[in-house]
Amino acid sequence: MPSLAELIMSGWASHAIHAAVRLGLPDALAAGPADAAALATACDADAVAIGRLARALTTLGLLGEDEEGRFRLTETGARLRRDAPGSLHAWALYWGSLARAFGTMAHAVRTGRPAGIAAPASEAPSVFDAAMAELTRPVCGAIVAACDLGGVSTVVDVGGGAGALLAAILEVHPAVRGILLDLPSAARLAEQTLAARGVAARARCVGGDFFAAVPPGGDLYLLKSVLHDWSDERAAAILGACRGAMAPGARLCVIERLAPARLSTSPRDRSLARADLTLLVTAGGRERTEPELRALLAAAGFTPLRVVA
């Protein structure tokens, strides 16, 4: 475990990464090593200051520095480039934009509600949608393998974001058609994703509000990482909209991380705790245990069938 002092000051690393990505430093190093002067020109920054930032990033293992003072991306740091395989570029931008929201945690804990601090307009909502897609892509294969699509002709991805999961489903199941519902900005990104993956002819993207209405006609409805964003009351409204759209025999697949009854100091549980507090200070949501999710589903008129890891 890190020391108490390290835990108290650990936020500096997130801020440094966010600054580097906003300035375009990882992209500036895509062509190869560069010194501080070259980085300053490429990033429109002060040469001395960007050199200090770059040296700080070497302590995190994101950059390396040679004897001539030139910096290079490490294998991990390369994932901060916009176009890198497995990129977390948008996630770094989004996470850094939450700094003000985290500063309101005492208010959120005192009241049980977020303070309503929004991300900077320049980094929302398109950065949020891209960030969620970056986190979804690595787990798409496992999700598609776990989903039973027997007898399914149409999948409705509710809150499907930029379309990463729906695209993966349509690629694996060529006889299936898809409908994606999300805010108009996300639906436009999803159209681009589905077209790039060659499955747009079997998909329709709808801009709308899943609290109000969900497209009918699906055999399988998906809610991936949607319910945890919201309070029980708001989550119940989403489930009610889904229930109202579903014909007899249609199924709902809720994809969420399940919180244990008690948290440990394991990396997995720290990740859950971090996500839970992030939800508390942003949208007012929460990570839920299996009994809590079952209770939400039952209250909305669903009969939970099974849990698939």
Side-chain angles (χ1 to χ4, degrees), residues 89-266:
H89 174 95
W91 182 248
L93 286 177
Y94 172 69
W95 190 260
S97 75
L98 298 180
R100 289 182 63 211
F102 277 119
T104 68
M105 191 176 296
H107 166 89
V109 172
R110 184 176 293 115
T111 65
R113 298 186 302 275
I117 300 296
S122 62
E123 296 186 0
S126 59
V127 167
F128 173 81
D129 296 325
M132 296 304 107
E134 286 178 353
L135 296 190
T136 297
R137 290 187 193 104
V139 298
C140 279
I143 293 173
V144 174
C147 285
D148 177 11
L149 267 71
V152 172
S153 60
T154 301
V155 171
V156 181
D157 193 353
V158 180
L165 177 57
L166 183 59
I169 290 172
L170 297 182
E171 284 177 338
V172 174
H173 299 278
V176 171
R177 304 185 69 83
I179 302 171
L180 182 142
L181 171 70
D182 212 310
L183 295 173
S185 59
R188 288 191 292 270
L189 280 178
E191 288 174 346
Q192 298 171 16
T193 300
L194 295 164
R197 301 277 284 274
V199 294
R202 290 185 285 122
R204 179 166 60 93
C205 298
V206 179
D209 178 1
F210 52 39
F211 292 110
V214 169
D219 307 297
L220 180 67
Y221 284 73
L222 302 178
L223 285 171
K224 183 203 172 290
S225 302
V226 171
L227 296 181
H228 78 160
D229 283 342
W230 305 102
S231 66
D232 286 354
E233 294 76 16
R234 301 286 271 170
I238 297 169
L239 289 170
C242 290
R243 188 72 183 86
M246 296 168 67
R251 290 178 288 137
L252 176 70
C253 180
V254 175
I255 303 161
E256 295 277 0
R257 294 196 297 183
L258 292 178
R262 291 181 178 81
L263 295 174
S264 70
T265 58
S266 70

Side-chain angles (χ1 to χ4, degrees), residues 24-34 39 42-43 63 71-74 77-84:
L25 191 155
D27 291 326
L29 290 173
L39 288 175
C43 300
L63 299 184
F71 299 97
R72 59 173 176 79
L73 291 168
T74 64
R79 294 181 63 197
L80 293 172
R81 285 170 32 209
R82 189 185 306 270
D83 61 348

